Amino acid sequence: MDTLTRMRAFIDVVEAEGFSAAARKIGRSKALLSKYVRELEDELGALLLNRTTRQFSLTEAGHTYYQRASEIVREVDSLADAVRESSGDVRGRIKLSAARTFADAPIGQSLIDFAKQHPDIVLDIHLDDRFVDLVEEGFDVAVRISRLENSSLIARRLGPFSIRLCASPELLAKHGTPTRPQDLSNMPCIVDTNGRSLANWRFKGDGEDSVSVTVSGPIEVNSPMAARAAAVSGLGFAILPDFIAAPDVTSGRLVTVLDDRILSGSGIFAVYPHRRYLPAKVRVFVDFLVHWFRTRDGA
């Protein structure tokens, strides 16, 4: 049995967080995966995994080996992708990280459309509202909705992204309409704990600088969809992605306020690790998303 096969088995077990889960995911037996990992440890002369009936963890050596092994396997797969691409045959698995908000919104249809158009590529989607470490956790690509910050990652802009400060007509009738951001500190607000600013909401100031306002209210929740529902119910003001708020704003269930104070500069990005060879499957996926958003926006 070659080292690369054992290496892949080890990576599968680590990423699935267990032998049983890995066996179910890749369609091999738990006993076979255990055999491969044990043979790899024997070959290296080092324990890579701590195994008990209830716990699973990497040893220090296992952590180091996983990071380097993941890079090696990705390079091997990239080489295979390049050969397949030259013959017009792009296939494989893409491990994708995306926010639940993205997948639940209408723009999440882009992922379904890609899967329909490329049946030979398995889209392994992990929905998580935190910013995953692509290299550390072995992701090929991520779709992020945010401001683009300095990073070692490569990013391609898919489309614009804006937020809206919204409230129900009933809430505005009861508490009034804020005329400046500072008014929100004395009004009920719904805090989306996925946001980096949490309860410190930032707006355009009177001059060049931005202003931060500390808010509070009856609900704090890590879901823009739940924040939207709470705002529609009249529980407070909420900062919502435009693509989530738009249907309720159009119907009149929500009203936008302080539109001229909303910060701009955010976007929807496909980000991926800086690699010597970008896998063809990742390039095909990102190119598809760029075209999908461009067509959707009528650009």
Side-chain angles (χ1 to χ4, degrees):
M1 186 56 58
D2 65 279
T3 299
L4 185 60
T5 299
R6 297 176 184 134
M7 190 182 293
R8 288 186 186 277
F10 170 70
I11 292 171
D12 287 335
V13 170
V14 172
E15 293 184 348
E17 299 183 350
F19 288 91
S20 297
R24 288 192 298 270
K25 181 176 181 180
I26 66 174
R28 289 189 171 183
S29 71
K30 177 181 176 182
L32 183 61
L33 290 178
S34 180
K35 174 178 178 290
Y36 287 166
V37 173
R38 187 169 59 252
E39 288 176 347
L40 180 62
E41 290 177 323
D42 291 342
E43 179 183 328
L44 297 171
L47 184 67
L48 301 177
L49 298 174
N50 290 314
R51 308 171 181 80
T52 66
T53 55
R54 294 188 177 184
Q55 291 184 329
F56 169 91
S57 63
L58 284 167
T59 64
E60 184 176 350
H63 183 76
T64 301
Y65 189 81
Y66 170 72
Q67 288 183 304
R68 296 296 302 275
S70 297
E71 295 173 4
I72 292 170
V73 169
R74 280 196 293 266
E75 289 294 333
V76 170
D77 289 342
S78 295
L79 179 59
D81 284 340
V83 174
R84 293 190 188 106
E85 185 181 23
S86 65
S87 63
D89 181 21
V90 179
R91 61 179 64 238
R93 175 183 292 269
I94 296 175
K95 187 177 179 183
L96 167 71
S97 171
R100 292 184 179 90
T101 305
F102 178 89
D104 291 340
I107 55 177
Q109 181 65 34
S110 60
L111 305 182
I112 306 301
D113 291 346
F114 175 83
K116 290 171 63 178
Q117 188 167 317
H118 296 275
D120 290 331
I121 297 179
V122 177
L123 203 54
D124 181 11
I125 305 171
H126 296 248
L127 300 180
D128 198 328
D129 290 316
R130 68 185 176 91
F131 272 26
V132 301
D133 186 319
L134 268 65
V135 175
E136 181 81 12
E137 299 178 51
F139 284 95
D140 295 300
V141 63
V143 176
R144 290 183 174 170
I145 305 172
S146 68
R147 286 172 166 251
L148 187 60
E149 300 179 351
N150 291 334
S151 170
S152 61
L153 302 175
I154 306 299
R156 284 188 66 183
R157 185 181 178 89
L158 303 177
F161 168 71
S162 58
I163 57 174
R164 296 287 181 264
L165 177 62
C166 304
S168 68
E170 294 76 17
L171 185 84
L172 294 176
K174 181 177 181 180
H175 292 278
T177 300
T179 58
R180 58 186 192 130
Q182 291 84 347
D183 294 340
L184 293 169
S185 62
N186 297 314
M187 294 178 168
C189 295
I190 300 159
V191 176
D192 180 357
T193 54
N194 280 324
R196 292 187 174 186
S197 59
L198 298 177
N200 297 304
W201 291 358
R202 300 196 70 81
F203 298 89
K204 291 180 182 177
D206 294 325
E208 294 286 333
D209 298 330
S210 62
V211 60
S212 177
V213 178
T214 301
V215 300
S216 61
I219 286 183
E220 296 182 1
V221 61
N222 64 336
S223 164
M225 299 298 289
R228 180 207 64 82
V232 169
S233 297
L235 286 179
F237 293 86
I239 289 181
L240 301 172
D242 183 58
F243 56 77
I244 289 179
D248 293 309
V249 172
T250 300
S251 69
R253 290 188 294 268
L254 290 177
V255 178
T256 64
V257 298
L258 297 178
D259 291 339
D260 60 336
R261 293 300 190 98
I262 300 298
L263 292 172
S264 59
S266 296
I268 304 173
F269 297 91
V271 299
Y272 44 90
H274 188 291
R275 294 182 188 147
R276 186 176 179 183
Y277 302 109
L278 179 65
K281 61 189 177 184
V282 175
R283 183 167 59 254
V284 167
F285 174 68
V286 174
D287 287 346
F288 177 91
L289 291 185
V290 170
H291 180 264
W292 191 94
F293 276 86
R294 183 180 297 140
T295 303
R296 177 179 179 272
D297 293 336

